Amino acid sequence: MLLTITTTHQPATDLGYLLAKHPDRCQTFAINYGEAHVFYPEATAERCTAALVLDIDPIGLVRGRQQFGRARGTLAQYVNDRPYVASSFLSVAIAQVLGSALRGACKDRPALASTPIPLIANLSVVPCRGGEAFLRRLFEPLGYEVTARRVPLDEAFPEWGDSPYHRVTLAKTTTVSDLLTHLYVLLPVLDNHKHYWVGRDELDKLLERGQGWLAEHPEREEIVSRYLKHQRSLTREAIERLLADDDIDPDAADEHNERAEQALERKLTLNDQRLGTIIAVLKQLGARRVIDLGCGEGKLLGHMLRDKDFAKIAGVDVSPRALEIAAARLKLERMPTRQRERIELFQGSLTYGDSRFSGYDAVCAIEVIEHIDPSRLQAFERVVFELARPGAVVITTPNVEYNVRFESLPEGKLRHRDHRFEWTRTQFEGWARRVANEHGYSVRFVPIGPMDDAVGAPTQMGVFAR
Ligand code: SAH
């Protein structure tokens, strides 16, 4: 079994620090069922690839391991695919051989360990129970670009057809820790077979490794069930615990990160200051019909509902889970009819033109643009300023300069793991002025939170008006 991880982040050989394995050496480690080798087929400043090869001893596998293959007869104990495929053995090897990288620890390059860099993982033989479609359903919601090719049974005999295995490439700009974590959890899920007994320890491990992504994953039930070997009571407990942790934060990607961001900003009650300022600005603009794009759990919607000046309120989010939580928080079901008529929630994306965004006095996008890939920002501009074209637009985003004032935030790290970027004041103002100019709006800027002479305020707001 071969797993390679490639980066083009420069200097690419920093991958050696991230994995805590020197690019010039070939190292061998004893693992439970054989050996694991780590070496670098290429290691230049431009491109670096680390390879993890598992050399599993098929005889060692069955010795003293009654459960393995017992039911399948003796031959199956010795002749099986386990040594060659990406399965729970690879997960164990990742934890044993690349443990610090999996945890995100890196003593030589701590900031780099938490910085998303371009990564490509190649897996030579992946058993996909559920086929390529399931493989995609597992990795694409996490933002991976997935390439999969069926491996022929025997290249010399194409007429024999394909084997049940795939050669898989996963590409994403992410941290090494996230990539390894996703592989660690999802490879055994794809294989749908675990080589060791599954008990409560495994459940705890799954919840720990799944922090920040599993609760929101559209396939979470199937992932949990397969991971826990379809043991119903463990599966039920896992789902309950996942969702119990989850009812605070709607952010599609990342409830854990959201909480970290909230904790970071808590001292300032920055969120309250932000909401207060937005309401004040909207009232000053005379906006009575307001749509909140990327409304999340609906905090701003709640504030507007309490104020009779807002006659029509809409909340839009790409995450159905966020909308469910917003509806529950706002108690939509139990709302008196007159009140209920003032508010509407619907799923939508602020990077796709949507006629439902039209007809409002103001559009808000609060702490949302930094979640959009920079390549999609132009689409957002078009959707809001050209197509919806409200009288006013209110946009807030973090001021990255302020991050040095958050003591618990490591240098160079963004406030939230799903942030695609965080801008300085010059960057945000430059962007906002250009957009305003191009679409016939004026724009003014309002700092939110405590003002620091050197780095400004933690949140920056642009108020656009026609
Ligand atoms: N405005 C809220 C939530 C901010 S978190 C607040 O201030 O509390 C960012 C939100 O944007 C998340 O709920 C996320 O699901 C949503 N989001 C991210 N990309 C989006 C897109 N393309 N279209 C709509 N919503 C999006």
Side-chain angles (χ1 to χ4, degrees), residues 16 37 70 93 106 120 140 171 196 224 236 255 271 283 308 346 357 425 436:
H37 312 281
R70 186 204 245 165
C106 177
I120 301 170
E140 285 177 347
Y196 44 81
V224 170
R236 197 172 334 110
E255 76 104 9
N271 197 37
K283 288 174 77 110
K308 291 274 175 294
F346 59 90
F357 299 169
R425 285 166 294 173

Side-chain angles (χ1 to χ4, degrees), residues 202-245:
E202 282 300 300
L203 189 160
D204 291 337
K205 219 186 285 171
L206 172 65
L207 294 181
E208 189 197 324
R209 300 262 183 248
Q211 250 183 45
W213 61 275
L214 186 53
E216 291 294 343
H217 198 294
E219 294 294 331
R220 74 177 166 231
E221 268 88 8
E222 183 67 13
I223 294 173
V224 170
S225 163
R226 284 188 177 206
Y227 193 93
L228 298 174
K229 266 186 146 172
H230 303 278
Q231 293 187 50
R232 285 238 191 90
S233 66
L234 280 181
T235 303
R236 197 172 334 110
E237 183 181 335
I239 295 285
E240 274 166 14
R241 280 170 57 185
L242 263 181
L243 296 185
D245 284 342

